[in-house]
Amino acid sequence: MHTSRELTLARLPSGVPIRTTVHAYGEGELVDGDDGPELDAPDDAPVVYAQAAQHGREVNGTAVLRRLHERLVGDGADPVDGDETGHGHGPTAADLAGTLVTVPVADPLTFDHVSYTTPESLDSRQPNMNRCWPGDPEGSLHERMAARLWRFAGAADAVVDLHTGSPSMATHTVYMRGDGACRGLAEAFGTDLLLAEAAGDDADTEWDERGFAGKLRVAATREGIPTITPELAHSKEIVPEAVEAGVAGTLGALRHEGLLAGEPDAWDGVVARNHLGRVIADDSGLFVPEPDLAVGDRVREGERVGEVFDPTTFETLQVARADRDGIAYSVAREATVTAGATLVGVAERIDGE
């Protein structure tokens, strides 16, 4: 079974509503309530909530949910589980032992602006929607939007918050460090690289400086809801490989949560710590990474990863070197850099966690 409903998240100053669409697949259905759509689902069956495009330029997650929709409401044909011609058959909504709730565009404000944050004129207090969960029904626009979506996310048994990195970032999945349920969900999603993000007192200074306590993943995990943030490669463009990874990963998550029969594929990747190592530009100029350095490569402390040079005098301003052993999960590909910019992100590998 599939149902969908239009959901009003908030209103603009002119009175124009900010709307999105919620979908439900499987045993539960969306019904009209006194204050908008509500989920009517069996109490004894699991619910998984998946959303995309919290940041409007991150569109591959939306394409993932479209592909899942086509599979679940159709005959299950999809090249992800079948052959290259698309003649394989996977699960449909009738196969779900529970309910999948999806929101393909979580933040219409940034989506329409193809942006990461909303214009200051619309929300100067919380321009980044992923910093204000679980929201506030009487707060700023983003706080109200988050609160409206939290009615679905906060009632789920697991959450998949689909995001998109950049061409210079390795595809990975972030989860709360030390949380076994989140780790299991991340493994089920199946990216080769998992980033364990420390929280609260265990985190670095960036945690407070950038308001990470207000991320959907953090808010949901603290409510006992296993939550992951897959970062699929590339922003602003739909990349077939990223979409396929997202579809396969979400199906793995559904198997892990018992909505689909069978077990997710066995995981055999690398776990590293998120938000720790960064090779920073000492000065502004042009950055040239080492020609054989690729995202996902292992690097050693002190290893040369590129150089920054003065474009007018050709002087080498900095020989950039890794600040620790780890995984190069991002490498700047836009050559023009300013002082303080991240040239290479290095995730410190964690063994035995």
Side-chain angles (χ1 to χ4, degrees):
M1 177 171 58
H2 166 250
T3 54
S4 65
R5 290 289 188 277
E6 186 177 84
L7 174 67
T8 297
L9 298 171
R11 294 184 181 277
L12 295 173
S14 63
V16 173
I18 303 168
R19 296 191 178 106
T20 193
T21 302
V22 183
H23 299 262
Y25 308 86
E27 296 182 357
E29 64 177 323
L30 293 167
V31 297
D32 296 322
D34 294 335
D35 189 25
E38 300 175 353
L39 179 65
D40 182 14
D43 293 335
D44 58 349
V47 175
V48 172
Y49 173 84
Q51 69 171 32
Q54 262 207 90
H55 302 132
R57 67 190 184 194
E58 301 179 8
V59 295
N60 276 297
T62 302
V64 167
L65 296 182
R66 181 192 183 212
R67 284 273 296 278
L68 281 172
H69 171 85
E70 291 173 343
R71 163 177 287 191
L72 292 173
V73 302
D75 62 1
D78 193 290
V80 169
D81 279 349
D83 59 23
E84 293 181 354
T85 64
H87 295 154
H89 290 267
T92 66
D95 299 313
L96 294 176
T99 305
L100 170 65
V101 177
T102 72
V103 178
V105 179
D107 189 347
L109 291 178
T110 56
F111 193 90
D112 288 345
H113 286 84
V114 197
S115 63
Y116 186 78
T117 58
T118 197
E120 183 178 358
S121 59
L122 293 180
D123 196 333
S124 59
R125 186 164 72 184
Q126 292 289 358
N128 188 337
M129 185 179 183
N130 202 26
R131 299 293 184 269
C132 61
W133 293 86
D136 180 352
E138 298 181 355
S140 69
L141 281 184
H142 271 156
E143 289 171 335
R144 291 176 185 230
M145 292 162 62
R148 193 65 188 87
L149 291 173
W150 182 255
R151 298 185 190 182
F152 297 100
D157 296 291
V159 172
V160 178
D161 185 19
L162 294 165
H163 284 250
T164 299
S166 68
S168 63
M169 181 177 291
T171 296
H172 62 274
T173 302
V174 188
Y175 72 95
M176 186 77 81
R177 185 176 184 183
D179 190 298
C182 292
R183 167 69 182 269
L185 186 61
E187 289 187 7
F189 196 88
T191 58
D192 291 335
L193 176 63
L194 304 185
L195 293 185
E197 184 174 86
D201 294 339
D202 296 327
D204 59 15
T205 56
E206 186 177 22
W207 174 268
D208 290 322
E209 291 172 354
R210 296 182 62 184
F212 287 168
K215 291 182 179 182
L216 170 58
R217 176 170 42 77
V218 175
T221 299
R222 286 179 167 169
E223 291 296 321
I225 306 168
T227 303
I228 56 172
T229 305
E231 294 277 2
L232 306 172
H234 298 274
S235 293
K236 297 185 179 180
E237 61 176 320
I238 294 175
V239 179
E241 294 82 4
V243 176
E244 290 175 7
V247 172
T250 305
L251 291 173
L254 294 179
R255 293 187 181 100
H256 181 268
E257 293 301 315
L259 270 75
L260 290 176
E263 297 293 328
D265 293 339
W267 181 81
D268 183 24
V270 173
V271 181
R273 184 172 177 183
N274 199 17
H275 297 297
L276 195 61
R278 280 185 172 82
V279 181
I280 302 298
D282 293 339
D283 206 342
S284 302
L286 291 180
F287 174 60
V288 182
E290 289 298 287
D292 58 349
L293 179 65
V295 292
D297 285 353
R298 297 184 183 183
V299 294
R300 296 286 187 182
E301 181 179 359
E303 179 180 337
R304 179 180 172 127
V305 294
E307 70 169 332
V308 178
F309 72 90
D310 185 323
T312 62
T313 67
F314 315 126
E315 174 191 3
T316 295
L317 301 174
Q318 174 188 2
V319 174
R321 299 186 182 279
D323 64 340
R324 67 193 66 230
D325 294 350
I327 308 297
Y329 77 93
S330 70
V331 179
R333 296 301 177 187
E334 293 187 6
T336 305
V337 297
T338 56
T342 299
L343 304 177
V344 177
V346 181
E348 186 175 11
R349 182 168 178 169
I350 303 172
D351 293 311
E353 178 170 301

